[in-house]
C-alpha cells in the first residue's frame, strides 16, 4: 500500500495509545541509535568487508509494543550496505542532468527494494542541499544549483522509495554546503534568501510526504542546526506541518542534551551519547519537558507503524544489482552525460575511426565518486577504457596515462581520434573528516575544492599540448560539479561532462562517443568564464554569509555572459521550438511550445520554462526555472509540450509581513531548451488582481 501523509496521520490515535503505555525510559529509548563507533572502527580494521553502514544501522524499537526498529541505510547513489552487492547508480548530480522525474522515481523504487533486501526500512539518500559555490566537496550528492529543480528531483526519489514501504530521509536540513568547516561554520543570510533560495526545495519534499528529515552539522545564525528551535520546531514542524521525525547527522550532529531535545531533535544518530540516560535525567531535573519526549516518541512510533504494520512488499538478495537495476543505472548514465561542445567530432565512426588513443590516468580507474558516507560497493564497475573496448571491440585502443607529453603527441599524430579522460576522484572532492580527527568512521578526506575549480595542472598541460595535434579530440570530464574549461577548451574538438557515472558509466560514455546513444543531458549548473563570477566562499571558516544570488541567477543579474548556460546540452540531432503559447488559467501560468526533431535521428530534448520578474517592485532574479519536461522525438516528429506553473511558484517572501506574497503584474514567460535567451521563446502574461490564497 502507498504510505501517504494522510494515512500516517490516521494512525495518530493508535501510536498515541502505544506511547501512553511507555515509561519515560522506554520513550527515550526510541530516540537514539545503537551503533558504537569504537566497535565499528575496530571491526573495520579487522575485516576488509566491513565498512561504514555495511549493515543497516538500528535505532529505537520496542518489539514488545509492536514497534519495529528504524533500520538505516545511507545513499544517495545506491544503498551503502553490503560489499560487492549493491547497484551503484550515477551520482545525483548526473541524475539531475537527466531532468527526468520518472527515471528518478524508478531509481527510488530500486533503492527501496535493495534497502529491504538488506533488512533496512529507511533510506537516507534524498540529498538536496544547494551548492552555493560548486567547490563544495559533496556537490556530487545533490542534483544541481537550482532550488526548483532540487525540489522536483528530490520529490521524485522520495516517492519511489516510499512506494516500496521504505521510509525516505531528506538531508541535510539546512544550509549545509561546505565540508572543511561543516562542524564549526555558522551560516548567516537574510530572511528572503533563507525562504526563497535555501529552504523551498526542502519544503517541497516535506509536502510530498517524506518520512524523516536529517538535520545538518553546521550552525545557522550562531546556533547548531541539530538544536535549532526555529528551523526544526517553528518552520519544519509547525509552519510546514511535518508529521515525521527528525534525526541528527551522525555522531557530531548534536552536542548538548537539553538544547537538542528542546530544539526539536527527535532522534540522535547513530549512537547514544547525549540522549539515553542523559535525556532521562534532563527530564527528571525539569530541563526538558516530558511533553517534548512524548511528541518525539509519537512521531517515531506513528511513522514506523505506517511503513511496517501493513507492509506488503518483501525482497530477497536477488534484487541486489539485478538486471533491471543495473539497466536503470545505465539508463541514467545515458540520459545524464552532457555534451558541451562538438565541432563535427562526435560521434566517432566505428568503421573509419579504427585507431583510438585514450589518454589520462582516470581512463582505467573505477571512479564512481567520493569515499565518504555515500560510497557504494557494487559487484563491478565498467571503466571508460573497458567501456570503449566493450562498445567497439573492433577498434584498436591504445592507452597511455599521459605523463610524457612528447610521447603522447607522437601517439596522437598516428591515431584516428584521441579521447582524454580527465577530472577528479575521491581524493580531490567529497565528504571530509581530517585523517587525524578522532572518529573518522568513513575514512573520508576529499573535502572541498579550495584551490581551483579547474582541472589539475598536468591535465591542462596534456590537453593543451596534445589536443591541437589531432582534430578528432574529445575530452571526457569526470567530477561532481562544474569544471572550469577556459584555459584549454579551444584546443579540443568535443567536450563531454560525464560526472561520476556509476557502475555502468564506462559503457554509457563509449555508447555516446560512438553514437550508439544520442546524448541528451543538460547541465544542472552554469559554467562561468572565470571563477570570480561565482559567489566567493571561505572554505575554512567559522562564519559564512550567503547572498541571495548564486549560479546562473547571479550572472544574469550582473549582466555577465556565461561560458556555458544553465540547462545547456548538445545532441546528435537538432530540435526547433515554435508556436509558443502562454496564458493564465486555473491559478497557474500555462506555457506550451511545439518541439520538432529536425535532424536525422531520434533523440530526447528537455524543455525548460523560466519566469521573468522585470516588472517587480522588489529585487528579484532576471528569470528563474519554474518547470521542465523531458520529451522523446523520432526523426521529423513534432510534439506539443505543456508546462504548468502554479501561482505559488511566483511568490516572493516579504520579511515585513513574514509571509509569501504574489505580485499582480505582468510576468515574462520563457520556454525553450536552455536558460540562454537565444534558446528561449518568450511571451507576457498579466495577473490583474486574481484571487489567490498564498
Amino acid at each position: 500500500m502507498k504510505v501517504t501523509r494522510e494515512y500516517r496521520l490516521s494512525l495518530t490515535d493508535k501510536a498515541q495509545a502505544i506511547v501512553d503505555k511507555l515509561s519515560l525510559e522506554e520513550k527515550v529509548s526510541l530516540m537514539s541509535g545503537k551503533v558504537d563507533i569504537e566497535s565499528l572502527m575496530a571491526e573495520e580494521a579487522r575485516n576488509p568487508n566491513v565498512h561504514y553502514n555495511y549493515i543497516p544501522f538500528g535505532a529505537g524499537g520496542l518489539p514488545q509494543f509492536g514497534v519495529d526498529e528504524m533500520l538505516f541505510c545511507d545513499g544517495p547513489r545506491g544503498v551503502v550496505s553490503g560489499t560487492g552487492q549493491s547497484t551503484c547508480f550515477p551520482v545525483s548530480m548526473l541524475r539531475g542532468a537527466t531532468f527526468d522525474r520518472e527515471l528518478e522515481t524508478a531509481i527510488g523504487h530500486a533503492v527501496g527494494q535493495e534497502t529491504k533486501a538488506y533488512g533496512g526500512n529507511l533510506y537516507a539518500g534524498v540529498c538536496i542541499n544547494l551548492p552555493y559555490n560548486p567547490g563544495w566537496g559533496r556537490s556530487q550528492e545533490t542534483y544541481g544549483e537550482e532550488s526548483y529543480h532540487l525540489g522536483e528531483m528530490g520529490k521524485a526519489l522520495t516517492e519511489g522509495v516510499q512506494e516500496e514501504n521504505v521510509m525516505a530521509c531528506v538531508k541535510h536540513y539546512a544550509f549545509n554546503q561546505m565540508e572543511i568547516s561543516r562542524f564549526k561554520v555558522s551560516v548567516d543570510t537574510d530572511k528572503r534568501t533563507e525562504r526563497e533560495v535555501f529552504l523551498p526545495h526542502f519544503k517541497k519534499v516535506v509536502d510530498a510526504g517524506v518520512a524523516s528529515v536529517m538535520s545538518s552539522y553546521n550552525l545557522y545564525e550562531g546556533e547548531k542546526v541539530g538544536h535549532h528551535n526555529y528551523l526544526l520546531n517553528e518552520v519544519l514542524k509547525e509552519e510546514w506541518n511535518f508529521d515525521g521525525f527528525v534525526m541528527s547527522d551522525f555522531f557530531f550532529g548534536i552536542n548538548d542534551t537539553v538544547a537538542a531535545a528542546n530544539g526539536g531533535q527527535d532522534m540522535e544518530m547513530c549512537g547514544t551519547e547525549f540522549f539515553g540516560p542523559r535525556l532521562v535525567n534532563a527530564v527528571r531535573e525539569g530541563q526538558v519537558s516530558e511533553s517534548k519526549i512524548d511528541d518525539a516518541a509519537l512521531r517515531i512510533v506513528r511513522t514506523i507503524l505506517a511503513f511496517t504494520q501493513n507492509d506488503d512488499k518483501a525482497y530477497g538478495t536477488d534484487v541486489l544489482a539485478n538486471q533491471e537495476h543495473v539497466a536503470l543505472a545505465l539508463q541514467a548514465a545515458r540520459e545524464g552525460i552532457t555534451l558541451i561542445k562538438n565541432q563535427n567530432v562526435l560521434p566517432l565512426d566505428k568503421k573509419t575511426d579504427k585507431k583510438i588513443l585514450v589518454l589520462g590516468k582516470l581512463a582505467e580507474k573505477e571512479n564512481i565518486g567520493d569515499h565518504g558516507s555515500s560510497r557504494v560497493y557494487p559487484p563491478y564497475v565498467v571503466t571508460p577504457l573497458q567501456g570503449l573496448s566493450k562498445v567497439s571491440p573492433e577498434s584498436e585502443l591504445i592507452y597511455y596515462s599521459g605523463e610524457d607529453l612528447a610521447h603522447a603527441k607522437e601517439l596522437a599524430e598516428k591515431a584516428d581520434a584521441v579521447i582524454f579522460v580527465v577530472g577528479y576522484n575521491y581524493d580531490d572532492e567529497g565528504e571530509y573528516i581530517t585523517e587525524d580527527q578522532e572518529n573518522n568512521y568513513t575514512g573520508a578526506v576529499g573535502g572541498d575544492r579550495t584551490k581551483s575549480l579547474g582541472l589539475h595542472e598536468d591535465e591542462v598541460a596534456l590537453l593543451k599540448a596534445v589536443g591541437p595535434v589531432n582534430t578528432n579530440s574529445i575530452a571526457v570530464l569526470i567530477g561532481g560539479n562544474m569544471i572550469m574549461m577556459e584555459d584549454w577548451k579551444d584546443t579540443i574538438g568535443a567536450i563531454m561532462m560525464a560526472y561520476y557515472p556509476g557502475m555502468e558509466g564506462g559503457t554509457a560514455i563509449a555508447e555516446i562517443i560512438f553514437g550508439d546513444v544520442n546524448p541528451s543531458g543538460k547541465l544542472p549548473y552554469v559554467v562561468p568564464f572565470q571563477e570570480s563570477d561565482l559567489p566567493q566562499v571561505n572554505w575554512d571558516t567559522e562564519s559564512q554569509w550567503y547572498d541571495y544570488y548564486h549560479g546562473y541567477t547571479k550572472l544574469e543579474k550582473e549582466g555577465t555572459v556565461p561560458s556555458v548556460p544553465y540547462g545547456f546540452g548538445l545532441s546528435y540531432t537538432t530540435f526547433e521550438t515554435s508556436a509558443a503559447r502562454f496564458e493564465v488559467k486555473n491559478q497557474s501560468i500555462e506555457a506550451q511550445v511545439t518541439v520538432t526533431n529536425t535532424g536525422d535521428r531520434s533523440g530526447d530534448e528537455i524543455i525548460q520554462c523560466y519566469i521573468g520578474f522585470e516588472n517587480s517592485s522588489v529585487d528579484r532574479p532576471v528569470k528563474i526555472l519554474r518547470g521542465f519536461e523531458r520529451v522523446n522525438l523520432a526523426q521529423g516528429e513534432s510534439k506539443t509540450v505543456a508546462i504548468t506553473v502554479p501561482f505559488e511558484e511566483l511568490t516572493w517572501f516579504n520579511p515585513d509581513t513574514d509571509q509569501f506574497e504574489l505580485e499582480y503584474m505582468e510576468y515574462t514567460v520563457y520556454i525553450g531548451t536552455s536558460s540562454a535567451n537565444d534558446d528561449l521563446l518568450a511571451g507576457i502574461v498579466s495577473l490583474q488582481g486574481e484571487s489567490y490564497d498564498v
Side-chain angles (χ1 to χ4, degrees):
M1 64 172 295
K2 186 174 182 179
V3 181
T4 63
R5 174 185 278 186
E6 291 72 24
Y7 174 67
R8 297 205 299 259
L9 291 175
S10 74
L11 296 174
T12 298
D13 290 346
K14 182 174 183 178
Q16 187 65 61
I18 293 173
V19 172
D20 289 344
K21 298 176 184 177
L22 304 180
S23 67
L24 174 61
E25 288 81 359
E26 287 168 332
K27 287 182 285 191
V28 168
S29 74
L30 294 167
M31 297 176 61
S32 54
K34 301 177 178 180
V35 175
D36 176 73
I37 190 169
E38 286 77 17
S39 298
L40 174 62
M41 294 178 70
E43 192 174 1
E44 287 182 20
R46 290 193 304 269
N47 187 342
N49 290 321
V50 171
H51 55 81
Y52 160 80
N53 205 195
Y54 76 104
I55 57 173
F57 285 157
L62 290 170
Q64 66 271 35
F65 292 96
V67 181
D68 291 350
E69 280 186 285
M70 185 206 73
L71 292 162
F72 174 105
C73 293
D74 220 330
R77 55 186 140 129
V79 180
V80 170
S81 300
T83 303
Q85 294 175 283
S86 297
T87 306
C88 182
F89 294 93
V91 293
S92 299
M93 188 64 76
L94 181 148
R95 287 162 24 221
T98 71
F99 286 80
D100 191 336
R101 298 177 183 88
E102 291 184 5
L103 176 60
E104 192 64 7
T105 298
I107 290 172
H109 280 280
V111 296
Q113 292 169 13
E114 295 198 14
T115 296
K116 299 193 86 165
Y118 286 115
N121 58 24
L122 181 141
Y123 177 70
V126 187
C127 182
I128 57 169
N129 294 103
L130 182 153
Y132 183 61
N133 178 292
W136 175 38
R138 290 178 79 174
S139 293
Q140 60 191 266
E141 293 188 45
T142 191
Y143 295 104
E145 71 174 41
E146 163 62 61
S147 176
Y148 173 85
H149 174 242
L150 286 169
E152 291 293 305
M153 297 301 286
K155 174 183 175 182
L157 182 65
T158 296
E159 290 174 344
V161 170
Q162 295 195 165
E163 284 168 4
E164 295 294 340
N165 294 340
V166 170
M167 293 174 277
C169 177
V170 65
K171 61 186 185 183
H172 310 81
Y173 177 80
F175 301 97
N176 177 38
Q177 35 270 326
M178 62 172 65
E179 285 304 292
I180 292 172
S181 299
R182 62 180 175 158
F183 299 117
K184 65 182 181 181
V185 67
S186 177
V187 174
D188 294 280
T189 191
D190 61 61
K191 186 66 69 171
R192 279 195 63 197
T193 303
E194 171 198 295
R195 290 309 187 99
E196 294 183 36
V197 179
F198 288 97
L199 294 190
H201 37 289
F202 284 102
K203 183 178 186 299
K204 183 165 288 186
V205 176
V206 167
D207 288 345
V210 74
S212 179
V213 173
M214 181 184 289
S215 59
S216 55
Y217 286 129
N218 53 282
L219 293 75
Y220 179 54
E221 297 182 338
E223 183 177 359
K224 193 169 182 66
V225 171
H227 311 161
H228 212 287
N229 180 67
Y230 169 72
L231 285 176
L232 301 184
N233 285 327
E234 294 181 18
V235 176
L236 179 62
K237 294 180 178 180
E238 297 171 16
E239 185 179 331
W240 295 354
N241 296 313
F242 174 60
D243 67 285
F245 58 89
V246 178
M247 70 170 68
S248 72
D249 207 343
F250 282 20
F251 298 115
F252 315 109
I254 62 174
N255 58 19
D256 184 280
T257 301
V258 174
N262 287 332
Q265 191 63 247
D266 299 314
M267 184 181 289
E268 177 187 12
M269 286 296 286
C270 60
T272 303
E273 182 174 357
F274 294 100
F275 283 3
R278 291 187 182 185
L279 183 53
V280 171
N281 290 338
V283 173
R284 289 187 169 147
E285 292 172 2
Q287 296 174 294
V288 176
S289 167
E290 191 164 354
S291 64
K292 284 286 187 184
I293 309 303
D294 291 340
D295 179 68
L298 175 63
R299 289 171 176 275
I300 294 166
V301 170
R302 180 174 60 199
T303 306
I304 290 175
L305 287 179
F307 282 88
T308 60
Q309 70 169 5
N310 292 315
D311 185 8
D312 56 357
K313 296 178 182 291
Y315 299 98
T317 56
D318 57 320
V319 303
L320 299 173
N322 66 10
Q323 185 176 356
E324 178 185 352
H325 294 178
V326 172
L328 274 177
L330 178 57
Q331 181 186 352
R334 288 167 171 168
E335 290 191 15
I337 291 173
T338 309
L339 186 60
I340 298 173
K341 177 183 179 181
N342 188 20
Q343 293 182 327
N344 299 315
V345 174
L346 293 175
L348 297 183
D349 190 326
K350 294 178 184 178
K351 295 179 181 179
T352 59
D353 296 318
K354 287 289 190 178
K355 191 172 185 178
I356 310 295
L357 173 64
V358 183
L359 294 173
K361 296 184 289 292
L362 296 182
E364 61 175 354
K365 301 296 184 183
E366 296 184 355
N367 195 5
I368 52 175
D370 105 78
H371 280 190
S373 61
S374 69
R375 185 180 182 184
V376 171
Y377 298 79
Y380 67 88
V381 177
V382 180
T383 69
L385 198 60
Q386 291 170 339
L388 292 165
S389 177
K390 171 184 174 183
V391 170
S392 185
E394 301 303 316
S395 295
E396 179 188 356
L397 292 180
I398 302 165
Y399 169 67
Y400 178 54
S401 58
E403 281 91 345
D404 186 327
L405 296 182
H407 182 54
K409 289 169 71 173
E410 289 177 5
L411 294 173
E413 289 173 350
K414 300 173 184 177
D416 295 317
V418 181
I419 300 170
F420 302 83
V421 184
V422 292
Y424 307 131
N425 66 13
Y426 56 85
D427 285 328
D428 300 307
E429 58 180 356
E431 189 167 4
Y432 180 81
I433 303 175
T434 59
E435 291 187 19
D436 59 350
Q437 183 171 343
E438 184 181 1
N439 295 345
N440 185 354
Y441 54 93
T442 68
V445 295
D448 306 304
R449 287 188 275 159
T450 60
K451 296 179 181 178
S452 169
L453 298 177
L455 295 172
H456 300 288
E457 291 182 3
D458 60 334
E459 292 174 325
V460 173
L462 179 67
L463 290 162
K464 292 174 74 172
V466 183
V469 172
N470 193 310
T471 56
N472 276 353
S473 58
I474 304 115
V476 178
L477 304 181
I478 308 295
N481 202 329
M482 188 275 295
I483 297 174
M484 295 294 295
M485 304 181 296
E486 293 313 303
D487 48 358
W488 56 265
K489 75 175 184 182
D490 291 339
T491 67
I492 302 296
I495 302 172
M496 175 192 301
M497 183 64 186
Y499 312 87
Y500 294 107
M503 63 186 293
E504 281 286 348
T507 305
I509 289 169
E511 288 175 333
I512 292 172
I513 285 175
F514 285 107
D516 295 351
V517 169
N518 192 353
S520 57
K522 301 277 188 170
L523 291 179
Y525 49 76
V526 71
V527 182
F529 279 106
Q530 52 192 11
E531 291 185 26
S532 59
D533 293 334
L534 300 168
Q536 299 305 293
V537 170
N538 182 355
W539 297 108
D540 189 359
T541 182
E542 294 184 358
S543 179
Q544 179 65 49
W545 175 266
Y546 287 165
D547 284 324
Y548 182 81
Y549 292 102
H550 74 286
Y552 77 92
T553 64
K554 181 178 187 293
L555 270 66
E556 286 196 335
K557 194 69 175 180
E558 296 171 352
T560 303
V561 176
S563 175
V564 188
Y566 176 91
F568 178 85
L570 296 172
S571 171
Y572 294 153
T573 190
T574 54
F575 298 95
E576 287 185 1
T577 55
S578 61
R581 294 179 54 200
F582 311 99
E583 62 179 330
V584 176
K585 185 178 179 182
N586 298 327
Q587 295 191 335
S588 300
I589 292 175
E590 295 194 0
Q592 289 189 359
V593 70
T594 298
V595 192
T596 303
N597 183 343
T598 57
D600 59 4
R601 61 183 295 171
S602 64
D604 286 11
E605 182 57 283
I606 296 166
I607 299 300
Q608 302 157 48
C609 181
Y610 297 82
I611 303 296
F613 303 96
E614 64 267 30
N615 295 311
S616 176
S617 61
V618 296
D619 180 28
R620 302 194 70 175
V622 174
K623 64 179 185 289
I624 50 177
L625 182 73
R626 283 298 178 263
F628 58 85
E629 293 294 337
R630 188 180 181 99
V631 58
N632 177 263
L633 295 164
Q635 178 184 352
E637 185 180 10
S638 296
K639 289 182 180 178
T640 298
V641 177
I643 294 176
T644 299
V645 182
F647 286 174
E648 183 179 3
E649 299 285 3
L650 308 178
T651 59
W652 71 287
F653 188 83
N654 186 338
D656 294 329
T657 63
D658 202 35
Q659 63 184 6
F660 281 92
E661 296 180 0
L662 180 67
E663 293 184 282
Y664 295 99
M665 64 182 188
E666 288 187 340
Y667 292 84
T668 304
V669 186
Y670 303 86
I671 194 164
T673 58
S674 88
S675 63
N677 287 338
D678 288 346
D679 293 334
L680 297 167
L681 302 175
I684 303 293
V685 299
S686 179
L687 273 61
Q688 298 294 340
E690 287 88 350
S691 175
Y692 179 68
D693 183 9
V694 180

mmCIF file of all heavy atoms in Angstrom, residues 53-73:
data_model
loop_
_atom_site.group_PDB
_atom_site.id
_atom_site.type_symbol
_atom_site.label_atom_id
_atom_site.label_comp_id
_atom_site.label_asym_id
_atom_site.label_seq_id
_atom_site.Cartn_x
_atom_site.Cartn_y
_atom_site.Cartn_z
ATOM 1 N N ASN A 53 28.249 1.458 7.599
ATOM 2 C CA ASN A 53 26.884 1.099 7.176
ATOM 3 C C ASN A 53 26.842 -0.166 6.320
ATOM 4 O O ASN A 53 25.959 -0.333 5.489
ATOM 5 C CB ASN A 53 26.234 2.266 6.428
ATOM 6 C CG ASN A 53 24.711 2.270 6.481
ATOM 7 O OD1 ASN A 53 24.068 2.971 5.710
ATOM 8 N ND2 ASN A 53 24.109 1.493 7.352
ATOM 9 N N TYR A 54 27.791 -1.092 6.537
ATOM 10 C CA TYR A 54 27.771 -2.337 5.760
ATOM 11 C C TYR A 54 26.539 -3.166 6.077
ATOM 12 O O TYR A 54 26.113 -4.009 5.283
ATOM 13 C CB TYR A 54 29.053 -3.139 5.984
ATOM 14 C CG TYR A 54 29.141 -3.870 7.304
ATOM 15 C CD1 TYR A 54 28.941 -5.241 7.383
ATOM 16 C CD2 TYR A 54 29.425 -3.182 8.483
ATOM 17 C CE1 TYR A 54 29.015 -5.907 8.595
ATOM 18 C CE2 TYR A 54 29.502 -3.839 9.695
ATOM 19 C CZ TYR A 54 29.303 -5.201 9.742
ATOM 20 O OH TYR A 54 29.374 -5.863 10.954
ATOM 21 N N ILE A 55 25.976 -2.963 7.247
ATOM 22 C CA ILE A 55 24.647 -3.482 7.575
ATOM 23 C C ILE A 55 23.805 -2.287 8.009
ATOM 24 O O ILE A 55 24.333 -1.256 8.423
ATOM 25 C CB ILE A 55 24.693 -4.543 8.692
ATOM 26 C CG1 ILE A 55 25.344 -3.969 9.956
ATOM 27 C CG2 ILE A 55 25.413 -5.803 8.217
ATOM 28 C CD1 ILE A 55 25.284 -4.904 11.153
ATOM 29 N N PRO A 56 22.474 -2.385 7.916
ATOM 30 C CA PRO A 56 21.636 -1.260 8.360
ATOM 31 C C PRO A 56 21.908 -0.913 9.818
ATOM 32 O O PRO A 56 22.122 -1.797 10.656
ATOM 33 C CB PRO A 56 20.213 -1.786 8.164
ATOM 34 C CG PRO A 56 20.337 -2.814 7.084
ATOM 35 C CD PRO A 56 21.666 -3.467 7.315
ATOM 36 N N PHE A 57 21.897 0.375 10.112
ATOM 37 C CA PHE A 57 22.119 0.850 11.470
ATOM 38 C C PHE A 57 20.783 0.959 12.190
ATOM 39 O O PHE A 57 19.879 1.661 11.729
ATOM 40 C CB PHE A 57 22.798 2.224 11.458
ATOM 41 C CG PHE A 57 24.256 2.202 11.101
ATOM 42 C CD1 PHE A 57 24.876 3.333 10.604
ATOM 43 C CD2 PHE A 57 25.023 1.068 11.279
ATOM 44 C CE1 PHE A 57 26.227 3.333 10.285
ATOM 45 C CE2 PHE A 57 26.382 1.047 10.971
ATOM 46 C CZ PHE A 57 26.975 2.181 10.464
ATOM 47 N N GLY A 58 20.667 0.299 13.339
ATOM 48 C CA GLY A 58 19.420 0.291 14.075
ATOM 49 C C GLY A 58 19.288 1.453 15.037
ATOM 50 O O GLY A 58 20.276 1.996 15.538
ATOM 51 N N ALA A 59 18.043 1.819 15.290
ATOM 52 C CA ALA A 59 17.733 2.846 16.283
ATOM 53 C C ALA A 59 16.371 2.530 16.877
ATOM 54 O O ALA A 59 15.448 2.119 16.172
ATOM 55 C CB ALA A 59 17.728 4.237 15.661
ATOM 56 N N GLY A 60 16.257 2.766 18.185
ATOM 57 C CA GLY A 60 14.962 2.626 18.849
ATOM 58 C C GLY A 60 14.422 1.205 18.777
ATOM 59 O O GLY A 60 15.154 0.222 18.851
ATOM 60 N N GLY A 61 13.115 1.139 18.610
ATOM 61 C CA GLY A 61 12.448 -0.155 18.529
ATOM 62 C C GLY A 61 11.986 -0.667 19.876
ATOM 63 O O GLY A 61 12.757 -0.707 20.840
ATOM 64 N N LEU A 62 10.699 -1.018 19.933
ATOM 65 C CA LEU A 62 10.126 -1.667 21.117
ATOM 66 C C LEU A 62 9.237 -2.802 20.630
ATOM 67 O O LEU A 62 8.003 -2.676 20.536
ATOM 68 C CB LEU A 62 9.310 -0.662 21.940
ATOM 69 C CG LEU A 62 10.106 0.423 22.664
ATOM 70 C CD1 LEU A 62 9.168 1.485 23.230
ATOM 71 C CD2 LEU A 62 10.964 -0.177 23.790
ATOM 72 N N PRO A 63 9.835 -3.929 20.256
ATOM 73 C CA PRO A 63 9.047 -5.016 19.657
ATOM 74 C C PRO A 63 7.942 -5.529 20.565
ATOM 75 O O PRO A 63 6.912 -6.003 20.078
ATOM 76 C CB PRO A 63 10.107 -6.095 19.374
ATOM 77 C CG PRO A 63 11.294 -5.725 20.205
ATOM 78 C CD PRO A 63 11.261 -4.253 20.336
ATOM 79 N N GLN A 64 8.126 -5.423 21.874
ATOM 80 C CA GLN A 64 7.077 -5.890 22.787
ATOM 81 C C GLN A 64 5.816 -5.036 22.698
ATOM 82 O O GLN A 64 4.745 -5.464 23.133
ATOM 83 C CB GLN A 64 7.607 -5.914 24.230
ATOM 84 C CG GLN A 64 7.951 -4.550 24.827
ATOM 85 C CD GLN A 64 9.372 -4.114 24.555
ATOM 86 O OE1 GLN A 64 9.919 -4.404 23.493
ATOM 87 N NE2 GLN A 64 9.973 -3.430 25.525
ATOM 88 N N PHE A 65 5.944 -3.853 22.127
ATOM 89 C CA PHE A 65 4.788 -2.984 21.908
ATOM 90 C C PHE A 65 4.409 -2.888 20.420
ATOM 91 O O PHE A 65 3.597 -2.047 20.042
ATOM 92 C CB PHE A 65 5.068 -1.579 22.446
ATOM 93 C CG PHE A 65 5.187 -1.516 23.941
ATOM 94 C CD1 PHE A 65 6.438 -1.562 24.559
ATOM 95 C CD2 PHE A 65 4.056 -1.430 24.740
ATOM 96 C CE1 PHE A 65 6.553 -1.512 25.939
ATOM 97 C CE2 PHE A 65 4.162 -1.378 26.127
ATOM 98 C CZ PHE A 65 5.411 -1.425 26.733
ATOM 99 N N GLY A 66 5.029 -3.744 19.602
ATOM 100 C CA GLY A 66 4.703 -3.750 18.178
ATOM 101 C C GLY A 66 5.378 -2.653 17.379
ATOM 102 O O GLY A 66 4.922 -2.325 16.276
ATOM 103 N N VAL A 67 6.466 -2.090 17.916
ATOM 104 C CA VAL A 67 7.182 -1.015 17.223
ATOM 105 C C VAL A 67 8.547 -1.538 16.780
ATOM 106 O O VAL A 67 9.406 -1.850 17.606
ATOM 107 C CB VAL A 67 7.371 0.214 18.137
ATOM 108 C CG1 VAL A 67 8.093 1.324 17.379
ATOM 109 C CG2 VAL A 67 6.026 0.703 18.665
ATOM 110 N N ASP A 68 8.736 -1.659 15.484
ATOM 111 C CA ASP A 68 9.995 -2.147 14.938
ATOM 112 C C ASP A 68 11.106 -1.115 15.112
ATOM 113 O O ASP A 68 10.851 0.083 15.280
ATOM 114 C CB ASP A 68 9.854 -2.456 13.446
ATOM 115 C CG ASP A 68 8.966 -3.660 13.188
ATOM 116 O OD1 ASP A 68 8.616 -4.368 14.141
ATOM 117 O OD2 ASP A 68 8.604 -3.871 12.007
ATOM 118 N N GLU A 69 12.338 -1.591 15.035
ATOM 119 C CA GLU A 69 13.478 -0.686 14.969
ATOM 120 C C GLU A 69 13.426 0.129 13.674
ATOM 121 O O GLU A 69 12.905 -0.332 12.653
ATOM 122 C CB GLU A 69 14.789 -1.476 14.930
ATOM 123 C CG GLU A 69 15.305 -1.995 16.230
ATOM 124 C CD GLU A 69 16.680 -2.623 16.029
ATOM 125 O OE1 GLU A 69 16.745 -3.736 15.484
ATOM 126 O OE2 GLU A 69 17.684 -1.989 16.408
ATOM 127 N N MET A 70 13.968 1.319 13.724
ATOM 128 C CA MET A 70 14.318 2.000 12.486
ATOM 129 C C MET A 70 15.659 1.437 12.049
ATOM 130 O O MET A 70 16.613 1.397 12.829
ATOM 131 C CB MET A 70 14.436 3.507 12.678
ATOM 132 C CG MET A 70 14.681 4.242 11.365
ATOM 133 S SD MET A 70 15.537 5.804 11.561
ATOM 134 C CE MET A 70 17.189 5.241 11.930
ATOM 135 N N LEU A 71 15.756 1.002 10.793
ATOM 136 C CA LEU A 71 16.970 0.381 10.275
ATOM 137 C C LEU A 71 17.455 1.181 9.076
ATOM 138 O O LEU A 71 16.862 1.148 7.999
ATOM 139 C CB LEU A 71 16.703 -1.077 9.913
ATOM 140 C CG LEU A 71 16.417 -1.964 11.139
ATOM 141 C CD1 LEU A 71 15.736 -3.252 10.739
ATOM 142 C CD2 LEU A 71 17.707 -2.240 11.902
ATOM 143 N N PHE A 72 18.530 1.897 9.277
ATOM 144 C CA PHE A 72 19.009 2.970 8.411
ATOM 145 C C PHE A 72 19.984 2.454 7.361
ATOM 146 O O PHE A 72 20.956 1.775 7.673
ATOM 147 C CB PHE A 72 19.697 4.005 9.304
ATOM 148 C CG PHE A 72 20.400 5.133 8.605
ATOM 149 C CD1 PHE A 72 19.830 6.399 8.579
ATOM 150 C CD2 PHE A 72 21.650 4.957 8.016
ATOM 151 C CE1 PHE A 72 20.493 7.454 7.975
ATOM 152 C CE2 PHE A 72 22.315 6.005 7.419
ATOM 153 C CZ PHE A 72 21.733 7.259 7.388
ATOM 154 N N CYS A 73 19.730 2.822 6.087
ATOM 155 C CA CYS A 73 20.676 2.590 5.002
ATOM 156 C C CYS A 73 20.966 3.925 4.323
ATOM 157 O O CYS A 73 20.046 4.656 3.960
ATOM 158 C CB CYS A 73 20.127 1.609 3.971
ATOM 159 S SG CYS A 73 19.913 -0.073 4.586
#
